[in-house]
Amino acid sequence: MAIHLVGETIDKARSHYLAETGKLVQLMRGIYVDAGDEVDRTVLAHAVRIARYLYPKAYLSGASAVLLGPTVDGRLFITGPRIQRTRLRALEIIQNKAPIKPSVASAVVADSLGEFPVTVSALRQRFLEAFRMRSEHAASIDAPMRDAIASRLCEEYGGPQAASDAVWALARENDWYKEGEGAEKFLLRRPAVAPARNEAAFDLAVAWHGLRIGTLSHDGFEWRWTQTTEGPELPPVVRQTMPGRLPPFIVSLLPEGWLESVLKDHRDERALLRSGRRYLSNITVAKTRAELASLPADLLSARLADRAMNGLFTGRYAGPGRSDIESDFEHKLAALYASAETPRLSGVQIKAPMYLAADGTLQPSVGLPFTHILKPAGTGAFAALPLVEWIGLALARAVGLPVPETALVAMPDGMSPALLVERFDIRDHPGDTRLLAMEDFCAVLDLAPQEKYTGTIERVARALRALSSAPEEDLLILVRRVLFAWLIADGDMHLKNLALLKTAQAGEKAFRSVRLAPVYDALTTRVFPGLEHDRMALKLGGKDERLRRADFISLATLAGLRVGDANAAMDDVLDRLRAALDSTAVPAPAAQDAAAVALVARTLDLCRSRVTTFE
């Protein structure tokens, strides 16, 4: 049962030939079905795709915006530039004229040709459409549908009155005053029922440390998070702050940048979530409980500190390499992600999830615990990026900031060394019963990953004050962290590179510990080409350049810290950093690379200059 659309699924010449030979039946210009198909059933099954093909500027409205398909009597309601009707066998496409300022949204529909995006009336417009006078679109929305839309609007806006105000705002923009009146009366007096689902809807079970915590559902239009009531009591790891949107904690786990681009299906959040099962923060996602149970737990089997010496990994690397004949390293690394068992990583930098075994073997964590993160070198001038980041993290440790264990890994095939980082958000021995979750500040502040550079340090401090279980200590650490970023010219300390580390025990309703996470992704960005004038990623006191002690004192005052404590913390960072800059050495074999040594020298000189001039 398939539909053939000229220019999309078949070319014009082939469609004409197959129709001439009796293998296809033409329904109208550009639209064909297989000769042996039950035509009416095929047309109705592909109604939305046909409408999108015929009217690319129109969008689903009326009952079709709710059902994401035709009604039971074969009518598909759309809104576009003009009024018209098109009948195609059992399907009738009814188009009315769009309002002056339409409110639309995106949804997903599935048929035998796969999933595809469609535009639909947004909830407020859909509700107003239900009260249009002498309108087939309005008549198509029956009482249960109106109840479902009203319930959803009340949930989003916080109650019937607020929902009515929001609907009225759209009604006024389009001169839909009668519709606004009808919608208002309905909202203020009618109960609501559950919304409908379509064939593109699906549910995903979500577990944390192997414990089921809830279900993510998508009905083709929006997301819904349902917290489980089964099993031991657990703190709320996932929270849906905005009805209809994917919870920010889940968004923070999704692949970005390079990894998103290499995944086979990365069209949207739905596809990304269904492409993998394992994520940071001990989160697993699957269709069934059996799949969840089959996934390995992330638990340290060996500590990097026991397999490193003088900054170098002393174990055996068994990950992807590079060959002049075979595909390059990046493609080999990408091939790991063909398996849904490979843990997904956020962040735009190329990374690989690894497992460090007890015998010192470092290998990709496909079907194995995910204990370490490998950050390979970039190309060209960015080949020494892992080394510069290793220095940044070593300096952070030297000034007293919490930092995960790190080491440089000698790579095969003449590649530059990679940086290996031990995860701090997983259990570190078999008897460890902690439940850990890391939440970056994009998720904490309910911002999209694309907005990671739009926040301010003050906003981070306010959130940290409200959420930390040791706010005074964490706020002093934040002052140290921000000063350190400024002193080493780190222009990439954005909201996804600051996080909270939460810890609980099974049976606890709340996290017993919520602390600022250890430093990660810290490096001097100004030494790389094109970044010579890189500024702070987040503004402090409205500034991202020329920061002075007074700016940090203002931050401390805003955070409720004593000025004396803030000054003492800053002096300690400055003193420790001066000493560390004089004692930091380039580990071998990086010391054999003249370009890398020169870049390190520039990094240390830049840091010394900023320490010296800080006032």
Side-chain angles (χ1 to χ4, degrees), residues 120-154:
V120 301
S121 295
L123 284 167
R124 290 186 302 157
Q125 180 169 314
R126 200 180 306 172
F127 196 55
L128 288 169
E129 288 170 353
F131 299 94
R132 299 224 70 188
M133 303 297 292
R134 296 179 296 278
S135 166
E136 281 188 82
H137 286 63
S140 70
I141 301 177
D142 58 22
M145 289 182 185
R146 285 196 302 273
D147 285 337
I149 300 170
S151 176
R152 176 63 180 76
L153 286 169
C154 290

Side-chain angles (χ1 to χ4, degrees), residues 21 27 45 54 74 88 102 105-106 203 226 287 308 326 372 377 430 440 494:
T21 56
L27 301 182
L54 293 174
L88 189 62
S106 296
D203 296 325
T226 306
K287 293 180 180 179
E326 299 175 3
H372 293 75
D440 66 48
H494 49 67

